[in-house]
Amino acid sequence: MGVFRDLFRLTKAGLEQTARTDYIGNLRQSADLAEQFAGVQPGDVTGTHGAATANPFLNMTMYGSMTQGSGRVVSLADSGKRMGDEVIYAVELDITLPGAEPYRTTYKTVIAAAALHGWQPGAIFPIRVSPDDRNAVMLG
């Protein structure tokens, strides 16, 4: 009987949360951020060196043509720039690609406060690098 009671409590909590969620406001904020990000030009301080865009289909196309490697976090700092209310961090990475000498670049991105602990020096991430610009990187 406890399972049904817990299931009822979970359903009730979900319905209450749904009633409190401002879906229209969240959608508007997401669209505002996507439009703001879409206006970023390669090399701008708020971009990721032009690798990622607000267009997910373009990102998927670029992702497929990029070289897979890894990036080790050297440092993480507030870039002083914002995207909406979010901090844009400058993440200094040592990039390692197959058959190439390691090199250092800066990846600028928004990182959720709850995820910052995972971006500390020494952390290693899968990275994709543009064949045309080795500073144009994308996570993955």
Side-chain angles (χ1 to χ4, degrees):
M1 201 64 172
V3 172
F4 292 112
R5 183 177 47 237
D6 291 342
L7 189 56
F8 173 76
R9 289 176 45 223
L10 182 61
T11 301
K12 182 180 174 189
L15 290 172
E16 289 171 1
Q17 180 60 40
T18 297
R20 289 191 304 260
T21 301
D22 180 9
Y23 291 107
I24 293 172
N26 291 348
L27 185 59
R28 182 177 299 116
Q29 181 182 17
S30 295
D32 290 345
L33 288 173
E35 288 174 348
Q36 182 179 354
F37 190 71
V40 174
Q41 298 300 312
D44 282 355
V45 292
T46 57
T48 56
H49 295 289
T53 71
N55 181 335
F57 300 106
L58 181 58
N59 287 343
M60 288 188 312
T61 301
M62 288 190 312
Y63 183 87
S65 68
M66 298 173 103
T67 304
Q68 188 173 6
S70 65
R72 187 180 58 80
V73 176
V74 176
S75 67
L76 172 73
D78 183 331
S79 70
K81 302 294 180 181
R82 302 288 181 269
M83 183 174 289
D85 293 334
E86 302 298 325
V87 174
I88 297 173
Y89 290 93
V91 183
E92 195 172 26
L93 296 171
D94 280 341
I95 304 291
T96 303
L97 298 174
E101 289 293 317
Y103 68 96
R104 188 166 287 179
T105 192
T106 301
Y107 173 67
K108 296 178 183 86
T109 189
V110 173
I111 303 171
L116 278 174
H117 69 277
W119 286 83
Q120 297 307 307
I124 297 175
F125 292 97
I127 296 289
R128 299 269 177 160
V129 178
S130 168
D132 302 321
D133 177 359
R134 63 190 229 142
N135 290 310
V137 299
M138 186 183 293
L139 284 180

